[in-house]
Amino acid sequence: MRALGFVLFFVVSVLSAEEIIEIGGVKLKRVLHHDHVTGTNDHFGALLFDGNGHLVKHDGNKTWLYSGAKEEKWVSFVREFNLDTLKAKPRIKVLSTYKNDRWASVHLAVKVSENFFVLFYSTGKQVRAAVSVAPQGPFITDPHFGIRPSQEWEKNCSLESDCGFVKISEDANELRIWKLYDTLGMGSTGQNGWAEVRLDKKTRQVQLIRKHPFNPIKLLREGFVAARTGGNIDSRIRLNGRHVLFYLSKKTNRDYRIAAALSKDPLFQSIDYNREIVGPLGTEGVVEKFQFYKHMGHLFLIYENSDRHNDWRTSIRKYQVVSGKIE
């Protein structure tokens, strides 16, 4: 009984410690964790953000949530998502695989204008884009766009879409962004990088301009195998005056931890803080593809997870500020 009591005390202590995370002097208390937001085998893809990096809302408290599920291949869906209740309505399919691609797994959704919406998605080899006149789709793949391996750090890797972007410029004709992507190499290794993308409001075409000359982002710490699947997105949010990027950190190919980096630079070319902050919760095993937003005074982190039974789902964590400043 004494041994059992020690085990129970240890477990409770660990759980209590996991409820508080600290990111560069900002302490956040987890007040909710839900790992089946969209149900079984229905993984997180992206929420809808506008060209300024702000969450797109309608009817006051609703947005669009894109997810993925396996039919014959992995394809993408959308549903309405209530930001107050965290309830999702039934899904509708918006994107299927293009030609012989393995997947069509969305991991960034952007509202460029009132009738121009873009999904960036992973195929198992490269990053593609698909366009629509409405957030509910259907989305049609742009046959000319692709982010493919070309830089030395991408060699022998597949490239995947990530959930973040940074606006460069916008006018009546175009929106230009730095789009976040990552490499997936042998042994689940990989890093994040930026690609400059032009979104033409007149022709509704998506164009790769170039990759950032200083790719990859310097997140990978010595002795670690991966710093990938990042997702900085809501451009209005600062932690103690700095941008935050949540990403997957792996010490070995079996470790899955959520890490956070802080920088005054939205492209994270200089990094002030870079730490693992928390691990999987409950039955979560894999945790990756992150987006964050603020709603009703709380910070929300939404992401993709998988358990040991290979059930890919959508998780969300809700935090309240204990100390420090979020603006």
Side-chain angles (χ1 to χ4, degrees), residues 149-166:
S150 63
Q151 296 181 327
E152 184 62 29
W153 69 286
E154 302 165 342
K155 190 175 181 180
N156 299 320
C157 295
S158 63
L159 301 188
E160 293 195 353
S161 176
D162 285 328
C163 296
F165 75 93
V166 173

Side-chain angles (χ1 to χ4, degrees), residues 219-292:
L219 295 169
L220 187 65
R221 292 185 289 156
E222 185 176 356
F224 285 68
V225 301
R228 55 184 298 268
T229 75
N232 65 316
I233 190 78
D234 196 320
S235 63
R236 291 172 293 192
I237 296 178
R238 305 285 189 280
L239 274 64
N240 282 344
R242 294 171 289 179
H243 299 276
V244 59
L245 188 156
F246 294 98
Y247 69 92
L248 165 63
S249 175
K250 301 183 74 173
K251 182 92 175 186
T252 74
N253 61 8
R254 293 187 177 184
D255 294 325
Y256 285 83
R257 303 281 294 177
I258 301 174
L262 295 175
S263 176
K264 293 182 178 179
D265 170 23
L267 296 183
F268 290 81
Q269 298 303 291
S270 62
I271 297 174
D272 303 328
Y273 173 94
N274 186 20
R275 297 283 189 279
E276 291 182 341
I277 55 170
V278 71
L281 293 174
T283 62
E284 295 173 350
V286 176
V287 287
E288 60 182 18
K289 304 293 185 183
F290 308 99
Q291 287 187 335
F292 65 89

Side-chain angles (χ1 to χ4, degrees), residues 127-143:
V127 179
R128 289 197 188 273
V131 303
S132 177
V133 297
Q136 306 97 311
F139 284 82
I140 306 300
T141 296
D142 185 324

Side-chain angles (χ1 to χ4, degrees), residues 185-198:
M186 294 293 293
S188 194
T189 58
Q191 299 187 68
N192 282 113
W194 298 108
E196 183 179 353
V197 176
R198 179 178 181 270

